[in-house]
Amino acid sequence: MKTILTGLRINSDLQLGNYLGAIAPMVRLANAHNKDHRINFFIPDLHSIISNIDGDLQTNIIRNVKYYLAAGLEINDNVHIYRQSYVPAHSELNWILNCSATMGELNRMTQYKEKGEGKSSVNVGIFDYPVLMAADILLYDATYVPVGEDQFQHLELTRNIATRFNHKYGEIFTIPAPTAEQAKAMGQDDGKGIRIRDLTNPEKKMSKSTPGENSKIMLSDTPAVAAKKIMSATTDSVGTIRFDMFNQPGISNLLQIEALVTNTPLQEVISTWSGETSYGDLKQKVASSVSTMLAELQAKFAAIPDELIYELFASGEKYANEAANIKLLAVQKAVNLR
Ligand code: TRP
């Protein structure tokens, strides 16, 4: 059985773009493959402490996992949810892999370069983060690692580190599939993911850090507030509805939101609305779809007790420690630490 593994980045406050672009697609992917793949979902909490955390990390962890369940993530014997810091083998393998990775390789990581840009001091964690990520993946012989485009470079680094290690010490690690192959095998689109745009400034993607209450819909917004935000979304003066991200980004964004929220193919939504002239009607429809979706999601979320999450962690972490320790021992033996 092949393994699909991914780290669920912990956000302090989730917005609709996170849900439609990351949580919901990941849940669909896991549910589609959970009969014949092992599915490892883990919380990269050691990655979270690299920078200052908004809010309380423990609260955020529980809340995020609840959103995955509320979004319909099915749990069966193949699905494992665990926290990285509860599996010490991650840190241990990180160190061993540090002795294989090179400064030159890590210096080329664009995310590190961007984060460090213009800063007088950068912590070593930011620099070394991709090697910890390699450990997260290689400990479990993961073949598929569905991640956003911003993580492709880290995945390639993982492949390089593993290949080099195997070459030197024998066939210890499974090499994850190349990024191009990953998206295809998992039935994802071109791997670029969907970017929901900012409601008031539709040239930009929706992000929790953009200023302005009306620019984004938080998953915690009441359905009525969310509907109001859609009604006040920036459109254009063209006067006819068309899907044209370049000339009509606001309208196109609304069409895309409607498609995702109602689980309808985008082409179908486009052909329903193309040529219509009432932006108000489109907004009404999207506002109603978004508020219905939010109401359902929030009701499911509220029904999940914290204890359920802790139970999932307990069984997930038991599995993860067993699996990871077997791999770690093989690595320790290979490098002559055992
Ligand atoms: N770096 C990933 C992100 O920012 C999260 C992550 C950490 C991850 N370790 C991983 C993803 C291992 C996949 C596999 O989204």
Side-chain angles (χ1 to χ4, degrees):
M1 196 150 61
K2 289 188 174 165
T3 298
I4 302 173
L5 175 145
T6 202
L8 313 176
R9 200 189 308 197
I10 292 302
N11 303 69
S12 56
D13 236 342
L14 291 162
Q15 36 87 7
L16 189 67
N18 300 125
Y19 181 78
L20 297 177
I23 298 179
M26 198 60 79
V27 166
R28 275 197 298 274
L29 187 140
N31 290 353
H33 296 282
N34 67 16
K35 304 284 179 298
D36 51 0
H37 288 75
R38 196 174 293 112
I39 301 195
N40 288 11
F41 271 176
F42 77 99
I43 314 296
D45 54 356
L46 294 170
H47 283 100
S48 297
I49 63 168
I50 283 174
S51 47
N52 290 332
I53 299 158
D54 305 339
D56 179 64
L57 181 58
Q58 294 303 316
T59 310
N60 293 345
I61 289 172
I62 299 294
R63 191 188 43 215
N64 273 37
V65 176
K66 280 189 186 178
Y67 273 119
Y68 280 87
L69 296 182
L73 179 69
E74 294 166 14
I75 303 292
N76 68 20
D77 289 347
N78 293 334
V79 180
H80 307 288
I81 303 182
Y82 53 93
R83 291 162 291 186
Q84 185 184 37
S85 76
Y86 281 73
V87 188
H90 289 241
S91 312
E92 185 72 21
L93 183 60
N94 181 12
W95 178 259
I96 297 174
L97 295 181
N98 276 342
C99 304
S100 269
T102 69
M103 298 288 286
E105 273 175 324
L106 295 184
N107 262 321
R108 283 196 293 277
M109 295 294 118
T110 48
Q111 209 176 46
Y112 158 70
K113 282 195 272 192
E114 281 163 13
K115 286 202 170 136
E117 196 143 53
K119 293 212 177 111
S120 57
S121 157
V122 176
N123 75 50
V124 176
I126 291 185
F127 184 67
D128 198 33
Y129 161 116
V131 182
L132 177 57
M133 185 162 159
D136 299 336
I137 295 167
L138 298 175
L139 273 177
Y140 302 92
D141 288 319
T143 300
Y144 301 113
V145 187
V147 286
E149 228 179 336
D150 64 334
Q151 300 298 316
F152 283 3
Q153 205 186 15
H154 298 158
L155 196 51
E156 285 304 324
L157 175 75
T158 301
R159 287 167 41 81
N160 292 339
I161 292 175
T163 305
R164 197 180 317 136
F165 193 95
N166 281 356
H167 191 71
K168 186 160 175 197
Y169 297 109
E171 294 302 305
I172 306 282
F173 294 127
T174 298
I175 313 293
T179 39
E181 213 175 278
Q182 299 253 357
K184 250 182 252 153
M186 295 285 92
Q188 289 170 290
D189 50 18
D190 58 2
K192 289 201 179 67
I194 296 137
R195 293 271 151 81
I196 297 301
R197 309 295 183 95
D198 184 309
L199 294 174
T200 50
N201 189 358
E203 275 85 23
K204 295 215 184 109
K205 72 169 184 168
M206 188 182 283
S207 152
K208 78 163 179 6
S209 50
T210 43
E213 272 291 294
N214 286 337
S215 66
K216 62 227 166 198
I217 291 176
M218 305 308 298
L219 294 186
S220 54
D221 281 348
T222 65
V225 164
K228 261 198 208 123
K229 290 181 180 178
I230 297 282
M231 293 309 293
S232 69
T234 301
T235 53
D236 55 65
S237 54
V238 174
T240 305
I241 295 172
R242 270 178 312 163
F243 189 80
D244 177 349
M245 271 299 181
F246 190 72
N247 293 305
Q248 296 182 255
I251 287 293
S252 305
N253 190 35
L254 291 176
L255 292 169
Q256 194 151 55
I257 292 174
E258 171 70 8
L260 290 170
V261 162
T262 59
N263 230 331
T264 312
L266 179 61
Q267 276 316 319
E268 209 175 302
V269 174
I270 293 173
S271 56
T272 305
W273 288 95
S274 273
E276 296 288 334
T277 51
S278 170
Y279 287 4
D281 286 354
L282 175 63
K283 283 183 170 180
Q284 291 275 1
K285 176 66 174 73
V286 178
S288 132
S289 302
V290 167
S291 49
T292 304
M293 187 223 86
L294 270 185
E296 281 171 16
L297 183 73
Q298 289 168 358
K300 287 187 188 144
F301 180 98
I304 303 169
D306 288 6
E307 294 75 53
L308 174 63
I309 309 299
Y310 289 115
E311 278 165 28
L312 290 174
F313 284 156
S315 66
E317 284 153 14
K318 182 170 181 294
Y319 148 81
N321 273 296
E322 282 167 13
N325 286 338
I326 290 171
K327 180 60 72 177
L328 179 62
L329 182 60
V331 173
Q332 288 169 324
K333 284 183 174 161
V335 301
N336 218 359
L337 284 167
R338 293 289 183 278

PDB file of all heavy atoms in Angstrom, residues 28-58:
ATOM      1  N   ARG A  28     -11.182  15.865  -0.254  1.00  0.00           N
ATOM      2  CA  ARG A  28     -11.652  15.076  -1.411  1.00  0.00           C
ATOM      3  C   ARG A  28     -10.598  14.063  -1.831  1.00  0.00           C
ATOM      4  O   ARG A  28     -10.900  12.901  -2.094  1.00  0.00           O
ATOM      5  CB  ARG A  28     -11.953  16.005  -2.597  1.00  0.00           C
ATOM      6  CG  ARG A  28     -13.351  16.605  -2.550  1.00  0.00           C
ATOM      7  CD  ARG A  28     -13.751  17.153  -3.925  1.00  0.00           C
ATOM      8  NE  ARG A  28     -12.873  18.237  -4.360  1.00  0.00           N
ATOM      9  CZ  ARG A  28     -13.046  19.513  -4.026  1.00  0.00           C
ATOM     10  NH1 ARG A  28     -14.068  19.869  -3.256  1.00  0.00           N
ATOM     11  NH2 ARG A  28     -12.218  20.428  -4.443  1.00  0.00           N
ATOM     12  N   LEU A  29      -9.345  14.522  -1.856  1.00  0.00           N
ATOM     13  CA  LEU A  29      -8.254  13.648  -2.281  1.00  0.00           C
ATOM     14  C   LEU A  29      -8.102  12.464  -1.321  1.00  0.00           C
ATOM     15  O   LEU A  29      -7.996  11.314  -1.738  1.00  0.00           O
ATOM     16  CB  LEU A  29      -6.972  14.479  -2.343  1.00  0.00           C
ATOM     17  CG  LEU A  29      -5.732  13.825  -2.924  1.00  0.00           C
ATOM     18  CD1 LEU A  29      -4.991  14.858  -3.783  1.00  0.00           C
ATOM     19  CD2 LEU A  29      -4.801  13.347  -1.845  1.00  0.00           C
ATOM     20  N   ALA A  30      -8.130  12.746  -0.032  1.00  0.00           N
ATOM     21  CA  ALA A  30      -7.976  11.673   0.958  1.00  0.00           C
ATOM     22  C   ALA A  30      -9.134  10.693   0.864  1.00  0.00           C
ATOM     23  O   ALA A  30      -8.932   9.474   0.851  1.00  0.00           O
ATOM     24  CB  ALA A  30      -7.898  12.281   2.366  1.00  0.00           C
ATOM     25  N   ASN A  31     -10.355  11.204   0.775  1.00  0.00           N
ATOM     26  CA  ASN A  31     -11.516  10.319   0.723  1.00  0.00           C
ATOM     27  C   ASN A  31     -11.511   9.451  -0.537  1.00  0.00           C
ATOM     28  O   ASN A  31     -11.975   8.314  -0.511  1.00  0.00           O
ATOM     29  CB  ASN A  31     -12.815  11.134   0.783  1.00  0.00           C
ATOM     30  CG  ASN A  31     -13.037  11.755   2.157  1.00  0.00           C
ATOM     31  OD1 ASN A  31     -12.291  11.484   3.104  1.00  0.00           O
ATOM     32  ND2 ASN A  31     -14.040  12.610   2.273  1.00  0.00           N
ATOM     33  N   ALA A  32     -10.952   9.994  -1.620  1.00  0.00           N
ATOM     34  CA  ALA A  32     -10.921   9.232  -2.870  1.00  0.00           C
ATOM     35  C   ALA A  32      -9.903   8.094  -2.821  1.00  0.00           C
ATOM     36  O   ALA A  32      -9.997   7.152  -3.591  1.00  0.00           O
ATOM     37  CB  ALA A  32     -10.606  10.166  -4.040  1.00  0.00           C
ATOM     38  N   HIS A  33      -8.931   8.187  -1.933  1.00  0.00           N
ATOM     39  CA  HIS A  33      -7.834   7.207  -1.954  1.00  0.00           C
ATOM     40  C   HIS A  33      -7.709   6.377  -0.676  1.00  0.00           C
ATOM     41  O   HIS A  33      -6.781   5.585  -0.555  1.00  0.00           O
ATOM     42  CB  HIS A  33      -6.508   7.929  -2.215  1.00  0.00           C
ATOM     43  CG  HIS A  33      -6.455   8.591  -3.561  1.00  0.00           C
ATOM     44  ND1 HIS A  33      -6.222   7.900  -4.728  1.00  0.00           N
ATOM     45  CD2 HIS A  33      -6.631   9.881  -3.927  1.00  0.00           C
ATOM     46  CE1 HIS A  33      -6.237   8.737  -5.761  1.00  0.00           C
ATOM     47  NE2 HIS A  33      -6.491   9.949  -5.294  1.00  0.00           N
ATOM     48  N   ASN A  34      -8.609   6.574   0.269  1.00  0.00           N
ATOM     49  CA  ASN A  34      -8.391   5.955   1.580  1.00  0.00           C
ATOM     50  C   ASN A  34      -8.659   4.443   1.653  1.00  0.00           C
ATOM     51  O   ASN A  34      -8.456   3.827   2.692  1.00  0.00           O
ATOM     52  CB  ASN A  34      -9.163   6.710   2.676  1.00  0.00           C
ATOM     53  CG  ASN A  34     -10.671   6.582   2.532  1.00  0.00           C
ATOM     54  OD1 ASN A  34     -11.173   5.720   1.812  1.00  0.00           O
ATOM     55  ND2 ASN A  34     -11.389   7.460   3.223  1.00  0.00           N
ATOM     56  N   LYS A  35      -9.117   3.848   0.546  1.00  0.00           N
ATOM     57  CA  LYS A  35      -9.325   2.394   0.570  1.00  0.00           C
ATOM     58  C   LYS A  35      -8.026   1.655   0.265  1.00  0.00           C
ATOM     59  O   LYS A  35      -7.794   0.569   0.766  1.00  0.00           O
ATOM     60  CB  LYS A  35     -10.367   1.963  -0.484  1.00  0.00           C
ATOM     61  CG  LYS A  35     -11.705   2.656  -0.367  1.00  0.00           C
ATOM     62  CD  LYS A  35     -12.546   2.111   0.783  1.00  0.00           C
ATOM     63  CE  LYS A  35     -13.869   2.854   0.857  1.00  0.00           C
ATOM     64  NZ  LYS A  35     -13.702   4.312   1.127  1.00  0.00           N
ATOM     65  N   ASP A  36      -7.214   2.255  -0.608  1.00  0.00           N
ATOM     66  CA  ASP A  36      -6.031   1.528  -1.068  1.00  0.00           C
ATOM     67  C   ASP A  36      -4.726   2.291  -0.865  1.00  0.00           C
ATOM     68  O   ASP A  36      -3.706   1.972  -1.466  1.00  0.00           O
ATOM     69  CB  ASP A  36      -6.196   1.131  -2.546  1.00  0.00           C
ATOM     70  CG  ASP A  36      -6.602   2.307  -3.407  1.00  0.00           C
ATOM     71  OD1 ASP A  36      -6.761   3.418  -2.863  1.00  0.00           O
ATOM     72  OD2 ASP A  36      -6.765   2.128  -4.626  1.00  0.00           O
ATOM     73  N   HIS A  37      -4.760   3.332  -0.044  1.00  0.00           N
ATOM     74  CA  HIS A  37      -3.532   4.047   0.318  1.00  0.00           C
ATOM     75  C   HIS A  37      -3.530   4.290   1.819  1.00  0.00           C
ATOM     76  O   HIS A  37      -4.576   4.435   2.437  1.00  0.00           O
ATOM     77  CB  HIS A  37      -3.459   5.424  -0.360  1.00  0.00           C
ATOM     78  CG  HIS A  37      -3.187   5.360  -1.828  1.00  0.00           C
ATOM     79  ND1 HIS A  37      -4.144   4.983  -2.746  1.00  0.00           N
ATOM     80  CD2 HIS A  37      -2.062   5.632  -2.540  1.00  0.00           C
ATOM     81  CE1 HIS A  37      -3.617   5.027  -3.962  1.00  0.00           C
ATOM     82  NE2 HIS A  37      -2.357   5.405  -3.866  1.00  0.00           N
ATOM     83  N   ARG A  38      -2.323   4.359   2.343  1.00  0.00           N
ATOM     84  CA  ARG A  38      -2.197   4.835   3.713  1.00  0.00           C
ATOM     85  C   ARG A  38      -2.208   6.363   3.635  1.00  0.00           C
ATOM     86  O   ARG A  38      -1.576   6.942   2.744  1.00  0.00           O
ATOM     87  CB  ARG A  38      -0.858   4.354   4.289  1.00  0.00           C
ATOM     88  CG  ARG A  38      -0.765   4.449   5.771  1.00  0.00           C
ATOM     89  CD  ARG A  38       0.513   3.818   6.295  1.00  0.00           C
ATOM     90  NE  ARG A  38       0.556   2.382   6.111  1.00  0.00           N
ATOM     91  CZ  ARG A  38       1.388   1.754   5.279  1.00  0.00           C
ATOM     92  NH1 ARG A  38       2.247   2.419   4.550  1.00  0.00           N
ATOM     93  NH2 ARG A  38       1.361   0.440   5.166  1.00  0.00           N
ATOM     94  N   ILE A  39      -2.940   7.002   4.518  1.00  0.00           N
ATOM     95  CA  ILE A  39      -3.031   8.462   4.456  1.00  0.00           C
ATOM     96  C   ILE A  39      -2.537   9.072   5.769  1.00  0.00           C
ATOM     97  O   ILE A  39      -3.149   8.865   6.817  1.00  0.00           O
ATOM     98  CB  ILE A  39      -4.479   8.887   4.143  1.00  0.00           C
ATOM     99  CG1 ILE A  39      -4.835   8.250   2.794  1.00  0.00           C
ATOM    100  CG2 ILE A  39      -4.594  10.411   4.136  1.00  0.00           C
ATOM    101  CD1 ILE A  39      -6.002   8.738   2.095  1.00  0.00           C
ATOM    102  N   ASN A  40      -1.411   9.736   5.694  1.00  0.00           N
ATOM    103  CA  ASN A  40      -0.834  10.357   6.881  1.00  0.00           C
ATOM    104  C   ASN A  40      -1.054  11.862   6.813  1.00  0.00           C
ATOM    105  O   ASN A  40      -0.502  12.533   5.942  1.00  0.00           O
ATOM    106  CB  ASN A  40       0.675  10.083   6.943  1.00  0.00           C
ATOM    107  CG  ASN A  40       0.999   8.653   7.289  1.00  0.00           C
ATOM    108  OD1 ASN A  40       0.113   7.790   7.292  1.00  0.00           O
ATOM    109  ND2 ASN A  40       2.252   8.379   7.576  1.00  0.00           N
ATOM    110  N   PHE A  41      -1.853  12.350   7.729  1.00  0.00           N
ATOM    111  CA  PHE A  41      -2.079  13.790   7.864  1.00  0.00           C
ATOM    112  C   PHE A  41      -1.420  14.185   9.169  1.00  0.00           C
ATOM    113  O   PHE A  41      -1.777  13.657  10.218  1.00  0.00           O
ATOM    114  CB  PHE A  41      -3.579  14.069   8.000  1.00  0.00           C
ATOM    115  CG  PHE A  41      -4.274  14.273   6.682  1.00  0.00           C
ATOM    116  CD1 PHE A  41      -5.647  14.458   6.657  1.00  0.00           C
ATOM    117  CD2 PHE A  41      -3.578  14.304   5.488  1.00  0.00           C
ATOM    118  CE1 PHE A  41      -6.318  14.656   5.459  1.00  0.00           C
ATOM    119  CE2 PHE A  41      -4.234  14.505   4.283  1.00  0.00           C
ATOM    120  CZ  PHE A  41      -5.614  14.684   4.269  1.00  0.00           C
ATOM    121  N   PHE A  42      -0.458  15.080   9.087  1.00  0.00           N
ATOM    122  CA  PHE A  42       0.139  15.448  10.363  1.00  0.00           C
ATOM    123  C   PHE A  42       0.193  16.957  10.530  1.00  0.00           C
ATOM    124  O   PHE A  42       0.125  17.716   9.573  1.00  0.00           O
ATOM    125  CB  PHE A  42       1.520  14.807  10.525  1.00  0.00           C
ATOM    126  CG  PHE A  42       2.594  15.492   9.740  1.00  0.00           C
ATOM    127  CD1 PHE A  42       3.448  16.392  10.357  1.00  0.00           C
ATOM    128  CD2 PHE A  42       2.732  15.242   8.391  1.00  0.00           C
ATOM    129  CE1 PHE A  42       4.428  17.038   9.628  1.00  0.00           C
ATOM    130  CE2 PHE A  42       3.712  15.887   7.656  1.00  0.00           C
ATOM    131  CZ  PHE A  42       4.563  16.783   8.275  1.00  0.00           C
ATOM    132  N   ILE A  43       0.299  17.351  11.782  1.00  0.00           N
ATOM    133  CA  ILE A  43       0.345  18.774  12.127  1.00  0.00           C
ATOM    134  C   ILE A  43       1.808  19.149  12.307  1.00  0.00           C
ATOM    135  O   ILE A  43       2.439  18.692  13.269  1.00  0.00           O
ATOM    136  CB  ILE A  43      -0.365  19.025  13.485  1.00  0.00           C
ATOM    137  CG1 ILE A  43      -1.709  18.305  13.551  1.00  0.00           C
ATOM    138  CG2 ILE A  43      -0.464  20.504  13.777  1.00  0.00           C
ATOM    139  CD1 ILE A  43      -2.717  18.765  12.579  1.00  0.00           C
ATOM    140  N   PRO A  44       2.374  19.938  11.423  1.00  0.00           N
ATOM    141  CA  PRO A  44       3.800  20.295  11.560  1.00  0.00           C
ATOM    142  C   PRO A  44       4.003  21.364  12.627  1.00  0.00           C
ATOM    143  O   PRO A  44       4.341  22.500  12.330  1.00  0.00           O
ATOM    144  CB  PRO A  44       4.185  20.783  10.159  1.00  0.00           C
ATOM    145  CG  PRO A  44       2.913  21.093   9.458  1.00  0.00           C
ATOM    146  CD  PRO A  44       1.766  20.508  10.221  1.00  0.00           C
ATOM    147  N   ASP A  45       3.802  20.976  13.880  1.00  0.00           N
ATOM    148  CA  ASP A  45       3.884  21.986  14.946  1.00  0.00           C
ATOM    149  C   ASP A  45       5.314  22.486  15.167  1.00  0.00           C
ATOM    150  O   ASP A  45       5.519  23.630  15.554  1.00  0.00           O
ATOM    151  CB  ASP A  45       3.221  21.489  16.259  1.00  0.00           C
ATOM    152  CG  ASP A  45       3.752  20.148  16.740  1.00  0.00           C
ATOM    153  OD1 ASP A  45       4.581  19.522  16.042  1.00  0.00           O
ATOM    154  OD2 ASP A  45       3.323  19.716  17.837  1.00  0.00           O
ATOM    155  N   LEU A  46       6.309  21.641  14.855  1.00  0.00           N
ATOM    156  CA  LEU A  46       7.695  22.122  14.972  1.00  0.00           C
ATOM    157  C   LEU A  46       7.975  23.198  13.925  1.00  0.00           C
ATOM    158  O   LEU A  46       8.775  24.099  14.153  1.00  0.00           O
ATOM    159  CB  LEU A  46       8.687  20.962  14.796  1.00  0.00           C
ATOM    160  CG  LEU A  46       8.658  19.885  15.888  1.00  0.00           C
ATOM    161  CD1 LEU A  46       9.506  18.686  15.478  1.00  0.00           C
ATOM    162  CD2 LEU A  46       9.155  20.436  17.219  1.00  0.00           C
ATOM    163  N   HIS A  47       7.301  23.085  12.790  1.00  0.00           N
ATOM    164  CA  HIS A  47       7.425  24.135  11.775  1.00  0.00           C
ATOM    165  C   HIS A  47       6.726  25.412  12.246  1.00  0.00           C
ATOM    166  O   HIS A  47       7.160  26.509  11.917  1.00  0.00           O
ATOM    167  CB  HIS A  47       6.808  23.690  10.446  1.00  0.00           C
ATOM    168  CG  HIS A  47       7.661  22.725   9.660  1.00  0.00           C
ATOM    169  ND1 HIS A  47       7.437  21.372   9.651  1.00  0.00           N
ATOM    170  CD2 HIS A  47       8.737  22.921   8.872  1.00  0.00           C
ATOM    171  CE1 HIS A  47       8.351  20.782   8.868  1.00  0.00           C
ATOM    172  NE2 HIS A  47       9.145  21.698   8.391  1.00  0.00           N
ATOM    173  N   SER A  48       5.649  25.247  13.009  1.00  0.00           N
ATOM    174  CA  SER A  48       4.872  26.431  13.420  1.00  0.00           C
ATOM    175  C   SER A  48       5.673  27.380  14.303  1.00  0.00           C
ATOM    176  O   SER A  48       5.443  28.581  14.276  1.00  0.00           O
ATOM    177  CB  SER A  48       3.619  26.014  14.199  1.00  0.00           C
ATOM    178  OG  SER A  48       2.764  25.265  13.393  1.00  0.00           O
ATOM    179  N   ILE A  49       6.589  26.847  15.084  1.00  0.00           N
ATOM    180  CA  ILE A  49       7.293  27.728  16.036  1.00  0.00           C
ATOM    181  C   ILE A  49       8.472  28.468  15.395  1.00  0.00           C
ATOM    182  O   ILE A  49       9.177  29.215  16.074  1.00  0.00           O
ATOM    183  CB  ILE A  49       7.766  26.984  17.309  1.00  0.00           C
ATOM    184  CG1 ILE A  49       8.798  25.902  16.963  1.00  0.00           C
ATOM    185  CG2 ILE A  49       6.571  26.365  18.044  1.00  0.00           C
ATOM    186  CD1 ILE A  49       9.513  25.354  18.206  1.00  0.00           C
ATOM    187  N   ILE A  50       8.665  28.287  14.105  1.00  0.00           N
ATOM    188  CA  ILE A  50       9.733  29.008  13.400  1.00  0.00           C
ATOM    189  C   ILE A  50       9.518  30.519  13.476  1.00  0.00           C
ATOM    190  O   ILE A  50      10.444  31.285  13.611  1.00  0.00           O
ATOM    191  CB  ILE A  50       9.806  28.540  11.924  1.00  0.00           C
ATOM    192  CG1 ILE A  50      10.510  27.183  11.867  1.00  0.00           C
ATOM    193  CG2 ILE A  50      10.526  29.557  11.058  1.00  0.00           C
ATOM    194  CD1 ILE A  50      10.510  26.545  10.509  1.00  0.00           C
ATOM    195  N   SER A  51       8.260  30.918  13.370  1.00  0.00           N
ATOM    196  CA  SER A  51       7.993  32.356  13.482  1.00  0.00           C
ATOM    197  C   SER A  51       6.960  32.566  14.585  1.00  0.00           C
ATOM    198  O   SER A  51       6.370  31.608  15.085  1.00  0.00           O
ATOM    199  CB  SER A  51       7.491  32.897  12.150  1.00  0.00           C
ATOM    200  OG  SER A  51       6.489  32.052  11.645  1.00  0.00           O
ATOM    201  N   ASN A  52       6.747  33.819  14.927  1.00  0.00           N
ATOM    202  CA  ASN A  52       5.796  34.101  15.998  1.00  0.00           C
ATOM    203  C   ASN A  52       4.406  33.638  15.605  1.00  0.00           C
ATOM    204  O   ASN A  52       3.992  33.787  14.465  1.00  0.00           O
ATOM    205  CB  ASN A  52       5.761  35.594  16.284  1.00  0.00           C
ATOM    206  CG  ASN A  52       7.038  36.045  16.946  1.00  0.00           C
ATOM    207  OD1 ASN A  52       7.698  35.252  17.634  1.00  0.00           O
ATOM    208  ND2 ASN A  52       7.416  37.286  16.717  1.00  0.00           N
ATOM    209  N   ILE A  53       3.721  33.065  16.553  1.00  0.00           N
ATOM    210  CA  ILE A  53       2.399  32.519  16.281  1.00  0.00           C
ATOM    211  C   ILE A  53       1.345  33.522  16.732  1.00  0.00           C
ATOM    212  O   ILE A  53       1.439  34.067  17.828  1.00  0.00           O
ATOM    213  CB  ILE A  53       2.219  31.195  17.061  1.00  0.00           C
ATOM    214  CG1 ILE A  53       3.271  30.190  16.594  1.00  0.00           C
ATOM    215  CG2 ILE A  53       0.820  30.650  16.899  1.00  0.00           C
ATOM    216  CD1 ILE A  53       3.557  29.103  17.584  1.00  0.00           C
ATOM    217  N   ASP A  54       0.356  33.769  15.863  1.00  0.00           N
ATOM    218  CA  ASP A  54      -0.787  34.580  16.304  1.00  0.00           C
ATOM    219  C   ASP A  54      -1.707  33.644  17.059  1.00  0.00           C
ATOM    220  O   ASP A  54      -2.087  32.612  16.523  1.00  0.00           O
ATOM    221  CB  ASP A  54      -1.638  35.094  15.127  1.00  0.00           C
ATOM    222  CG  ASP A  54      -0.832  35.859  14.111  1.00  0.00           C
ATOM    223  OD1 ASP A  54       0.252  36.339  14.468  1.00  0.00           O
ATOM    224  OD2 ASP A  54      -1.304  35.954  12.955  1.00  0.00           O
ATOM    225  N   GLY A  55      -2.086  34.031  18.229  1.00  0.00           N
ATOM    226  CA  GLY A  55      -3.044  33.214  18.964  1.00  0.00           C
ATOM    227  C   GLY A  55      -2.358  32.041  19.644  1.00  0.00           C
ATOM    228  O   GLY A  55      -1.136  31.967  19.710  1.00  0.00           O
ATOM    229  N   ASP A  56      -3.174  31.119  20.117  1.00  0.00           N
ATOM    230  CA  ASP A  56      -2.672  30.025  20.923  1.00  0.00           C
ATOM    231  C   ASP A  56      -2.506  28.786  20.036  1.00  0.00           C
ATOM    232  O   ASP A  56      -3.478  28.311  19.436  1.00  0.00           O
ATOM    233  CB  ASP A  56      -3.689  29.748  22.033  1.00  0.00           C
ATOM    234  CG  ASP A  56      -3.253  28.602  22.914  1.00  0.00           C
ATOM    235  OD1 ASP A  56      -2.218  28.743  23.581  1.00  0.00           O
ATOM    236  OD2 ASP A  56      -3.938  27.560  22.899  1.00  0.00           O
ATOM    237  N   LEU A  57      -1.298  28.272  19.953  1.00  0.00           N
ATOM    238  CA  LEU A  57      -1.023  27.166  19.025  1.00  0.00           C
ATOM    239  C   LEU A  57      -1.911  25.952  19.315  1.00  0.00           C
ATOM    240  O   LEU A  57      -2.454  25.337  18.397  1.00  0.00           O
ATOM    241  CB  LEU A  57       0.466  26.796  19.073  1.00  0.00           C
ATOM    242  CG  LEU A  57       0.922  25.670  18.140  1.00  0.00           C
ATOM    243  CD1 LEU A  57       0.624  25.977  16.678  1.00  0.00           C
ATOM    244  CD2 LEU A  57       2.419  25.396  18.313  1.00  0.00           C
ATOM    245  N   GLN A  58      -2.068  25.615  20.586  1.00  0.00           N
ATOM    246  CA  GLN A  58      -2.874  24.430  20.932  1.00  0.00           C
ATOM    247  C   GLN A  58      -4.326  24.586  20.474  1.00  0.00           C
ATOM    248  O   GLN A  58      -4.923  23.659  19.935  1.00  0.00           O
ATOM    249  CB  GLN A  58      -2.826  24.161  22.441  1.00  0.00           C
ATOM    250  CG  GLN A  58      -1.436  23.760  22.941  1.00  0.00           C
ATOM    251  CD  GLN A  58      -0.880  22.534  22.216  1.00  0.00           C
ATOM    252  OE1 GLN A  58      -1.580  21.562  21.999  1.00  0.00           O
ATOM    253  NE2 GLN A  58       0.383  22.604  21.828  1.00  0.00           N
TER     254      GLN A  58
END
